Amino acid sequence: MIKNLFKFPGGVHVSQFKDLSIHEKVEPAKLPSKLVLPLHQHIGAAAEPCVEIGELVLKGQKIASANGYVSAPIHAPTSGTIEDIGDYPIAHPSGMSAPCIVIKPDGDDKWIELESHASDYSSIDPSHLRNIIRRAGIVGLGGAGFPTYIKHNPGPDGSVDTLIINGSECEPYITCDDSLMRDRPDEIVCGIRIIKHALNAKHVVVAIEDNKPEAFQAIKKALADFDDESIEAVQIPTIYPAGSEKQLIYTVTGKEVPQNSLPINISIVCQNIGTTAAVYRAINHGEPLISRYVTVTGDIHQPKNLEVLFGTPINELVDQCGGVKGSVRRLIIGGPMMGFAMHQLNLPVIKTTNCVLIDAKESKAFKTRDFAMPCIRCGSCAEACPAGLIPQQLYWYSKSQEFDKAQDYNLYDCIECGCCDYVCPSKIPLVQYYRFAKAEIWKRELEMQKSNTARQRHEFHQFRVEREKAEKAEKHRQKKAALQAKENANKDDIKTGKEADPKKAAILAAMERAKAKKAEPKNTDNLTEAQKKLIAEIDAKRAKQRNAASQAKPTNEDSKDSNNS
Amino acid sequence: MSLYTPSSPHFHANNSVTQIMLKVVYALIPGILLYVLFFGFGIVMNLLIAVVTALTCEALILKLRKRPIIPFLTDGSALVTAVLLALSVPSIAPWWIIFIGTAFAIIIAKHLYGGLGYNPFNPAMVAYAMLLISFPLQMTTWPLPLSNSNDYLGLVDSFVISFFDTASAGFAIDAISGATPLDYLKSQLGLEQSVSQIMQSSANFGLLGGSGFEWVNIAFLAGGIWLMKKKIISWHIPVATISSLIILAFIFYIYNSEQYASPFFHLFTGATILCAFFIATDPVSAATTPRGKIFYGVGIGILIFVIRNWGGYPDAVAFAVLIMNMCAPTIDYYTKPKPYGHR
């Protein structure tokens, strides 16, 4: 049982704005005229299409297979025709396009035949459970999108101490997990029990921020039905970023995940609320992951949560929620603290899209970045940093491009939560500087690797040239030495040695070689009498022909001459 | 059409450098009011001259440095420097003392080192040290508290004293000025008097420290606590400075109370409170890590005690702060907190 919680350092209290979207009933998003499914919706390798243009697919049919260990398959969210496989704009901050599969829904929404695995998951072997989860294309729905089945490997011990179910949802505005906990607590609890079984976890803690009392009560009630004392729900204090994996682990267990390490190394696994429900759907109903709850909120007329099929364009979600109040200034995918601002609205929802946040030009909640004042070293950022870093020093060294010093100050322990940036009185875009520094360091490392390879190649080339030269010289020297030794032996009286004419020596050497060749046995030696006779006959024939030819030649030349004259 | 795509976070707290600096000034107001009550309007003249000089110099040099004038002029940092310097200089000092000091603080100590955020030393203290060394007479002629002087200095009197001289205002300089308690104590101790004898011999000593000044200091203390509550300053530097000074003073007081003044005296005379809450806490020139702030504050407390007792100057705040400013980068380097996952 959890006796006491731990307070991680730093963090900020941010206005929540969760009331905007939590009170409306969750409704399914309208079926769009087209679903655009990016092949890369998760951490790891992009999936590979396993359907062709023009093919008819059913809801839940696999349309792209996992490519390697860290990857996930993608399934058709509804029945329809594959219209295209090609590059389309995706929800990426750079505004780039990437390979997608486009489905034109037929409106029937006809499921593929589903294989319900078991109502009693405990009879299923954990490795088989992992396979089902893998085949269902389930990835972490909290935002990172790491393939779930990999996380469900309990490691060498065969069990984990603590499974933490992350229901904290600490970013402002987002309420999709909250809604899910209120709507489907039984599915979540079922999913939790399945994951617990897959991981052979000793304890399970469902951590919910104390600003979601309804969700907490719902989960508690669902848990009570099972009477399993090893699973408990706890309320954790509302402070951003309580839902960040490392900070949540500290809050619940008081343990820190060592640097460059994973939670599993300290026998802890974290799972998002949404993921647990998806696991339940996959195991008990055989349904692959094809939809999710998405919070559509911000400066729109009816902010609410929608259950959205992957591939649905964001602008249609916004329209369904009553449209924008005013004109759109920015679209944030995710929350206001860590979400990414996108270039346009016509982008598909993917597995990791938890929130669509609209900021209108008329809005007062959001501000555009003003003029940044110099850092006054007030240290507010260090007080707010949940990773225990000194953001102002990181900023200083990132700005001056002293990247080795930035790494000295543990730049890579920065989780980019934005707390430092939030509290900065000088309004310095700190996180942007850290991202720049990280990208620059990666780039430099890559360049260094490249130049190292080039240098190694060049050095090897040089070495080979030198070696060949040396080998040639050595051969030459040996030959010369051998020749001189011979000359010395043959002509003791003549003074040769180093003064000998090289030309003469060469001629001499050639003569020697010819002699040696002559001395070599030929294939005409040791022939039988019959063979010798045959050779003699052939030779005679050839001689005759040669004679004939030599006689004919002058006449030819004569006629040529006469023709010319 | 492409939307606005700034880097996250998209939310920001409603704060600014200006707000921080203004709150520091607000926290000084009660002390300033008591100052006026006990010592007359001289301090108001000081403040006016300092603020006008500071803002003018700031604007001029920003223009020379081709920096945007409005955001930097309104950031409040020059205002804070001006107010702190004005409070450090005797309130009956001539106008040019404050003018030279403030110009020096803004132009030399602040902008020649790069302006806001880049100055390694506290500009007000650099200017104070310069003034004390260059004009020792004017810098040590402090007004007597109202109770001990026959005349109250009104606004007009203060103006005349500032821009002309004491005589023009109709005052005898000896009637309104005197040595500060710290100065008096130091010189009398040099004459082999005991602390208790000295305290009784002069009406300049009050219950806790210097008469009049002790109340001003209590008001500064209240302002400082308000700043801590508003989270403009953290507790580390004030607590470390005050406690190290008190502990040292207590040890020596116990050892020989005839030779060493009481901890209360050290706390409520001179610029101890002003230093601990307002001067040493200047974020730009102080240490910034939590542990570093404690070392920094302890260093200042020790230096104040050492210089007051064995140094050449009666008060020591400026020198203590400047010396610890020098140490701040090194302190920060060695007191980095352990990041998450490094334990």
Side-chain angles (χ1 to χ4, degrees), chain A residues 246 256-257 259 329-330 336-337 339 342-343 369 374-377 387 392 409-410 413 421-423 425-427 435, chain B residues 2-13 15-17 72 117 283-284 288 332 336 339-343:
Chain A
K246 286 176 170 179
E256 292 187 8
V257 183
Q259 193 194 20
R329 176 165 53 195
R330 79 185 118 180
M337 296 300 283
M342 299 297 163
H343 288 76
R369 283 211 185 257
C375 168
I376 56 166
R377 295 164 51 79
Q392 85 235 26
Y409 276 84
N410 302 297
D413 284 319
D421 204 320
Y422 178 82
V423 299
S426 294
K427 307 286 169 231
R435 289 200 177 117
Chain B
S2 186
L3 300 172
Y4 176 54
T5 55
S7 184
S8 71
H10 306 277
F11 253 22
H12 296 95
N15 60 356
S16 66
V17 176
F72 282 107
V284 177
T288 60
D332 276 348
K336 283 188 264 182
Y340 181 101
H342 286 247
R343 259 147 269 199

Side-chain angles (χ1 to χ4, degrees), chain A residues 310-497:
Chain A
F310 299 139
T312 308
I314 283 167
N315 48 357
E316 298 199 13
L317 301 182
V318 173
D319 290 345
Q320 190 176 342
C321 293
V324 182
K325 278 186 196 164
S327 52
V328 186
R329 176 165 53 195
R330 79 185 118 180
L331 157 68
I332 299 160
I333 292 191
M337 296 300 283
M338 287 188 77
F340 290 96
M342 299 297 163
H343 288 76
Q344 56 158 324
L345 284 174
N346 188 10
L347 299 168
V349 165
I350 61 168
K351 291 177 182 176
T352 54
T353 312
N354 53 2
C355 180
V356 169
L357 179 52
I358 300 289
D359 159 35
K361 280 176 188 141
E362 296 78 3
S363 159
K364 290 204 177 74
F366 292 85
K367 286 181 193 128
T368 49
R369 283 211 185 257
D370 308 325
F371 173 76
M373 294 290 286
C375 168
I376 56 166
R377 295 164 51 79
C378 65
S380 303
C381 50
E383 260 169 58
C385 181
L389 302 171
I390 314 178
Q392 85 235 26
Q393 293 302 107
L394 290 175
Y395 156 68
W396 187 266
Y397 294 128
S398 299
K399 194 182 180 190
S400 59
Q401 308 207 5
E402 292 173 85
F403 297 131
D404 46 341
K405 282 192 184 147
Q407 278 172 285
D408 238 26
Y409 276 84
N410 302 297
L411 175 66
Y412 280 101
D413 284 319
C414 168
I415 56 171
E416 298 179 19
C417 64
C419 287
C420 52
D421 204 320
Y422 178 82
V423 299
C424 180
S426 294
K427 307 286 169 231
I428 301 167
L430 293 165
V431 175
Q432 198 178 330
Y433 278 100
Y434 309 147
R435 289 200 177 117
F436 159 75
K438 285 180 185 173
E440 228 15 61
I441 292 168
W442 282 119
K443 209 174 96 190
R444 285 185 189 188
E445 259 166 30
L446 212 74
E447 268 166 20
M448 200 140 88
Q449 266 176 19
K450 258 188 194 166
S451 72
N452 269 347
T453 320
R455 187 173 47 79
Q456 279 168 2
R457 273 169 150 169
H458 177 72
E459 277 171 2
F460 183 70
H461 173 77
Q462 289 291 96
F463 167 75
R464 208 180 56 208
V465 168
E466 290 292 321
R467 191 188 61 195
E468 279 169 5
K469 225 170 157 182
E471 276 172 3
K472 251 184 199 165
E474 177 62 19
K475 253 186 202 161
H476 196 70
R477 200 186 56 75
Q478 277 176 2
K479 264 183 195 164
K480 218 165 160 183
L483 194 71
Q484 274 172 7
K486 233 175 211 170
E487 267 183 4
N488 289 346
N490 290 349
K491 302 167 189 175
D492 286 334
D493 48 335
I494 305 166
K495 195 185 172 195
T496 48

